[in-house]
């Protein structure tokens, strides 16, 4: 969640209120700070994976885990990449198998 247009004079009291109601704050720590997903199969006709359920699972397991640097995970449910997942430390893109140009298979057997 991102709060915009907050007066700098209100930041401390806002942080206190968020901590008091159990909302974790801070996106600049050396930990997993952000796990985002596009609307995915819930609300987008291009979706190929359930990005929101995957984000929830990752959030429950990894949010706040200590890391050497600030660490973000993003999931787009199709290659349109609405959450710019490739600009995150881990980016997941939903695709349909097989994801290749028809007729270009070399028969190496790795995709079987
Ligand atoms: S990344 Fe794809 S599935 Fe997700 S919102 Fe964008 S177009 Fe829809």
């Amino acid at each position: 969640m991102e709060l915009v247009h907050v007066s700098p004079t209100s930041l401390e009291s806002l942080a206190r209120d968020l901590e008091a109601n159990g909302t974790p704050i801070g996106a600049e720590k050396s930990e997993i700070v952000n796990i985002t997903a596009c609307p995915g199969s819930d609300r987008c006709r291009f979706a190929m994976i359930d990005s929101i359920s995957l984000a929830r699972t990752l959030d429950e397991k990894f949010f706040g885990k200590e890391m050497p640097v600030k660490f973000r995970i993003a999931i787009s449910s199709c290659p349109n990449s609405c959450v710019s997942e490739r600009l995150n430390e881990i980016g997941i893109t939903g695709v349909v198998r097989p994801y290749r140009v028809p007729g270009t298979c070399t028969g190496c057997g790795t995709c079987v």
Side-chain angles (χ1 to χ4, degrees):
M1 177 172 63
E2 184 174 295
L3 301 175
V4 297
H5 306 298
V6 175
S7 166
T9 58
S10 304
L11 287 176
E12 283 187 27
S13 66
L14 178 62
R16 275 194 303 275
D17 290 347
L18 289 170
E19 284 181 322
N21 78 11
T23 304
I25 61 168
E28 299 300 325
K29 301 175 182 170
S30 293
E31 59 186 40
I32 297 182
V33 296
N34 206 17
I35 299 172
T36 54
C38 78
S41 51
D42 275 9
R43 294 181 300 263
C44 182
R45 65 190 171 111
F46 297 114
M48 296 179 188
I49 62 171
D50 183 358
S51 52
I52 292 178
S53 292
L54 179 56
R56 281 199 179 109
T57 300
L58 293 172
D59 185 69
E60 287 163 12
K61 283 184 107 163
F62 300 114
F63 179 77
K65 181 177 170 47
E66 216 170 286
M67 301 295 281
V69 294
K70 180 174 100 173
F71 201 94
R72 301 156 304 156
I73 300 172
I75 307 154
S76 284
S77 190
C78 84
N80 285 336
S81 301
C82 289
V83 295
S84 304
E85 70 278 10
R86 293 180 195 106
L87 301 178
N88 289 254
E89 282 61 50
I90 292 179
I92 298 168
T93 307
V95 295
V96 172
R97 264 188 280 182
Y99 189 63
R100 62 178 179 255
V101 178
T104 58
C105 179
T106 60
C108 69
T110 57
C111 61
V112 176

